[in-house]
Amino acid sequence: MGRMDGKIAVVTGSGSGIGRGVAVMFAKEGAKVVCADFNEEEGNATLAMVKEVGEGIFVRTNVRIKDDIRNLLSKTLEAYGKVTTLFNSAGILVHAPFLEHTDEDYERLTETNFRGYYWMMQTFMPSLVEHGHSSITNVASISVIKPESDAYLYGAMKAGIDKMTRDLIREFSPQGVRLNVICPGPVQTNLTPEWVRNNPEIQAEICKEVCPVGRLGKPEDIAYAAVWLASDEADWVTGSTIVVDGGACNMG
């Protein structure tokens, strides 16, 4: 038996990185997984990985478009009749000094990293309430906790998601929906600059400064926490912000 047997899990941003790692591990643990991503090629690549270990479908979804989100819910219910688990990880990252952030940066980050999460939760919440014994996990960042340079808008949006998630438990946890946040540290994903991803020496230098465990994170490191939060083992866990960062928040 898997820890997520009987769960119907929707994972946004599943075309790469943390979302892909979570989608595959959810499937390994017995969930039927709905992979959602705006990139059809990468989303279908994730679906192939999911099908190697379990069951799932792919629905092309841009979380900046509300009709896409409505279609995602419709396709999920059409395929599986219910939804029990929502994992929101679709996001973008913009690094720039504060005075160099542009209005376009603000709009892209707001629409993807905040409004997309808001629309996903608002659209899926009635179905999660109807099923009961459901969960939402939102991906934020250690920038919620630890000040970071050159990611000011990104950090502000992630802090907003953390706050909104914890506030929503007052209304929806009594109705059977648990809501939690994962704050990843420096995880190697497609958002990691290429000059870091492909250079072990630079990674080692970064780890000396920010990661006491001696390595950068992997999507699977976040996925283990995600499985626990979505499983019945975490039945009494709601409104929590879980930091998974290799100790980075405790460095300087």
Side-chain angles (χ1 to χ4, degrees):
M1 290 182 60
R3 297 161 75 193
M4 294 187 65
D5 285 352
K7 306 288 188 187
I8 308 299
V10 175
V11 181
T12 71
S14 61
S16 61
I18 289 172
R20 172 174 283 175
V22 168
V24 173
M25 196 167 290
F26 277 3
K28 285 181 180 178
E29 290 291 340
K32 295 179 174 63
V33 181
V34 180
C35 305
D37 200 277
F38 77 96
N39 186 317
E40 192 163 357
E41 181 177 355
E42 293 298 328
N44 277 312
T46 298
L47 178 61
M49 298 176 193
V50 163
K51 287 186 171 181
E52 287 179 2
V53 295
E55 181 179 343
I57 61 172
F58 169 71
V59 181
R60 186 184 181 281
T61 308
N62 185 340
V63 297
R64 297 169 70 178
I65 300 173
K66 200 166 192 177
D67 282 346
D68 275 17
I69 294 173
R70 291 180 179 131
N71 179 63
L72 175 60
L73 174 60
S74 177
K75 294 295 187 185
T76 301
L77 296 178
E78 179 183 316
Y80 299 117
K82 63 182 180 181
V83 56
T84 71
T85 309
L86 177 60
F87 187 88
N88 286 313
S89 66
I92 59 173
L93 174 62
V94 175
H95 272 114
F98 180 69
L99 295 179
E100 294 180 18
H101 274 307
T102 66
D103 289 347
E104 182 183 11
D105 292 338
Y106 175 81
E107 290 166 5
R108 289 172 58 227
L109 283 160
T110 303
E111 290 173 2
T112 305
N113 291 10
F114 188 84
R115 193 183 69 185
Y117 282 56
Y118 164 69
W119 277 353
M120 282 294 301
M121 290 191 289
Q122 194 174 58
T123 301
F124 276 78
M125 192 66 80
S127 293
L128 292 165
V129 167
E130 180 181 358
H131 178 268
H133 205 62
S134 304
S135 71
I136 297 174
T137 303
N138 290 322
V139 175
S141 165
I142 59 168
S143 60
V144 170
I145 299 161
K146 179 181 179 180
E148 293 188 301
S149 300
D150 294 341
Y152 308 104
L153 291 174
Y154 176 83
M157 303 307 164
K158 292 300 188 180
I161 288 301
D162 179 63
K163 177 66 165 66
M164 182 166 60
T165 303
R166 287 184 286 111
D167 285 349
L168 285 172
I169 73 167
R170 293 175 174 266
E171 182 173 355
F172 293 106
S173 286
Q175 300 182 61
V177 184
R178 297 182 298 104
L179 298 99
N180 295 289
V181 173
I182 294 178
C183 289
V187 176
Q188 287 225 64
T189 71
N190 59 313
L191 297 182
T192 306
E194 188 173 347
W195 58 273
V196 175
R197 287 201 307 267
N198 299 327
N199 194 320
E201 292 182 0
I202 291 177
Q203 291 177 31
E205 287 301 313
I206 291 173
C207 286
K208 288 180 184 178
E209 298 293 327
V210 303
C211 211
V213 301
R215 66 171 175 84
L216 298 180
K218 301 176 290 185
E220 291 81 1
D221 294 315
I222 310 304
Y224 286 120
V227 166
W228 179 68
L229 285 172
S231 75
D232 294 344
E233 296 168 8
D235 193 54
W236 209 51
V237 180
T238 193
S240 291
T241 299
I242 308 295
V243 177
V244 186
D245 71 342
C249 277
N250 295 296
M251 298 292 284

